[in-house]
Amino acid sequence: MITTNKSKSEQAVKAGEQGVRVATYTEKSFCVFGDTYPIRKMLKAAKLCYIPGLKCGPGWIGSNKRKDAVLQLLGVQLENLTEAELIAIGEQRRAESEQRKDN
């Protein structure tokens, strides 16, 4: 399926509304996490790599060389989170996931 620019921009608007977040991960990389399933093809096309075991929980990671393009594509702002904050987010996401499984 060919994706038009209009549908890409619509997906980007939805990305921000659905709580997709972009944060600095290491000195040389950034991560995209949250509800990324609807935009997974865009992230893969942007040459990001999906890793289920990130500090912040499942998400996508990429080189800082691609950061500006991804931020523009998704229409979100970069968050400068500490490692401890990323770990806390990951633990919270795992707990929410376990809670959903139990219900």
Side-chain angles (χ1 to χ4, degrees):
M1 180 174 104
I2 298 174
T3 307
T4 64
N5 287 341
K6 183 177 178 183
S7 64
K8 281 186 181 179
S9 62
E10 288 171 0
Q11 287 177 332
V13 169
K14 290 179 184 177
E17 292 173 359
Q18 292 176 349
V20 173
R21 299 171 70 181
V22 180
T24 302
Y25 195 71
T26 66
E27 185 178 307
K28 296 182 180 183
S29 65
F30 69 99
C31 61
V32 179
F33 60 97
D35 186 15
T36 60
Y37 187 79
I39 59 168
R40 68 193 181 284
K41 291 180 182 176
M42 285 176 34
L43 296 172
K44 187 169 180 108
K47 299 187 179 178
L48 298 180
C49 182
Y50 180 78
I51 301 177
L54 294 176
K55 297 173 198 170
C56 55
W60 297 78
I61 196 158
S63 167
N64 280 343
K65 295 175 186 175
R66 296 183 175 86
K67 179 172 58 178
D68 292 332
V70 171
L71 288 171
Q72 184 177 4
L73 180 70
L74 297 179
V76 296
Q77 297 290 320
L78 178 71
E79 298 179 45
N80 288 316
L81 302 172
T82 64
E83 185 173 351
E85 290 172 323
L86 285 173
I87 292 169
I89 290 168
E91 290 173 356
Q92 179 183 3
R93 291 179 67 205
R94 285 180 195 85
E96 289 170 358
S97 177
E98 289 297 320
Q99 190 175 32
R100 281 193 300 264
K101 287 179 184 177
D102 290 343
N103 291 335

